[in-house]
Amino acid sequence: MPLDTHTIAQLAEHLENAELTATAVAKITDAHPDLDWDDAYAIQDEICRRKVGRGARVAAFKAGLTSRAKMKQMGVETPVFGLIFDYMSVADGGEIKTAELIHPKVEAEIAFVLKQPLRGPGCNVASVLAATDFVVPAVEIIDSRYENFRFDLTSVIADNTSSSRFVVGGVARNVEGLDLRTLGIVMEKNGEVVALAAGAAVLGHPAVAVAALANHLAARGEAIPAGALILSGGASEAIPVGAGDAICVRFQDLGTVSMRFV
Ligand code: OOG
Ligand code: MG
């Protein structure tokens, strides 16, 4: 933890301002090359504290960089965890204002809602499925605050893992009788198929991403609470979008999620 609390607060303010004013900034490891994993989560925590202090509420937990396709696209090999807030929520079929964002990309994700809290360490696919109330299809709109969407592991963690907007849609389904590994995902942009995936693209089973989040929180003495919504991470590479684009993602057995960018 080479950074002092003053620098952590300063970097949190800097990155949150970049988000709120939709302005790209240099990745923070350019100026702070020694920034480590704990510093990065401390900056993210401070960003989240600032939001909660202004009345924002946590809407979802997220795991990211959980598929090979995403890891390869971003050049980062380790899953990351972040928080999504109520003001980031967009209704299924709704409009997303690109003027409020820097360089958005969309990701198709299987989301979990828990009926019981999930407390690590030692969570696995079975403990996640046992604690799951239902799964829903989701699209996350990520928007790195870093120039050219280029970052390293610690700078993306500090930037609250690029959280920006999200849409939950389709059908809520009990996991009983669903094979989340073979569940197919088709992403269409302006009617054209732009990405294909199956649930197993996410760490072999999307529940593994939820287990990893629970185990990560356990190391901080925290758990995922009952009722929480958790986005398990993009199953394919993320697709850039701009004003005028329409996105529709079809999830096998879970319906569709769609949105328009204006
Ligand atoms: C980091 C966030 C990745 C996912 O689902 O993989 C993420 C990024 O790629 O900007 O949310
Ligand atoms: Mg994501």
Side-chain angles (χ1 to χ4, degrees):
M1 193 94 178
L3 294 192
D4 57 69
T5 51
H6 176 72
T7 311
I8 284 168
Q10 223 171 23
L11 289 170
E13 183 177 4
H14 172 65
L15 287 173
E16 207 208 2
N17 282 345
E19 177 210 337
L20 299 176
T21 60
T23 316
V25 296
K27 70 175 173 2
I28 58 173
T29 46
D30 291 353
H32 301 278
D34 296 336
L35 190 96
D36 69 16
W37 170 275
D38 291 330
D39 293 320
Y41 276 107
I43 295 166
Q44 183 192 118
D45 289 346
E46 183 58 28
I47 290 174
C48 294
R49 253 195 305 275
R50 291 171 64 87
K51 292 185 187 304
V52 170
R54 286 197 308 269
R57 300 183 64 165
V58 174
F61 293 78
K62 66 171 275 190
L65 303 170
T66 50
S67 65
R68 190 50 42 208
K70 277 285 315 185
M71 291 179 189
K72 204 171 145 212
Q73 181 180 32
M74 303 321 299
V76 175
E77 299 273 312
T78 312
V80 293
F81 308 101
L83 289 177
I84 297 176
F85 288 87
D86 50 359
Y87 71 89
M88 300 175 174
S89 173
V90 176
D92 190 18
E95 281 185 355
I96 295 173
K97 296 188 180 76
T98 52
E100 295 173 358
L101 309 176
I102 303 166
H103 38 208
K105 294 183 187 178
V106 292
E107 303 180 314
E109 309 201 12
I110 294 171
F112 292 69
V113 174
L114 300 187
K115 60 186 173 197
Q116 291 159 16
L118 202 52
R119 186 178 297 279
C123 286
N124 55 38
V125 173
S127 36
V128 172
L129 294 180
T132 298
D133 196 356
F134 54 86
V135 290
V136 278
V139 171
E140 184 181 17
I141 297 90
I142 51 169
D143 192 32
S144 174
R145 268 55 72 167
Y146 298 124
E147 288 158 353
N148 304 313
F149 227 112
R150 300 258 297 275
F151 50 66
D152 45 33
L153 179 67
T154 50
S155 44
V156 67
I157 291 169
D159 184 28
N160 191 24
T161 66
S162 311
S163 293
S164 177
R165 298 287 183 270
F166 75 109
V167 184
V168 171
V171 181
R173 289 283 302 267
N174 195 285
V175 287
E176 241 170 81
L178 272 187
D179 185 347
L180 294 178
R181 297 166 303 174
T182 55
L183 192 143
I185 302 171
V186 178
M187 185 188 281
E188 296 171 4
K189 177 176 165 181
N190 305 325
E192 234 180 86
V193 175
V194 288
L196 297 167
V202 173
L203 297 173
H205 191 303
V208 173
V210 180
L213 169 67
N215 295 333
H216 162 77
L217 291 177
R220 309 159 39 114
E222 295 167 14
I224 314 177
L229 171 68
I230 305 129
L231 272 63
S232 61
S236 73
E237 72 278 16
I239 303 295
V241 285
D245 287 334
I247 294 289
C248 174
V249 185
R250 303 176 192 280
F251 292 78
Q252 184 178 11
D253 299 325
L254 296 178
T256 64
V257 181
S258 60
M259 74 228 58
R260 283 178 306 118
F261 290 83
V262 298

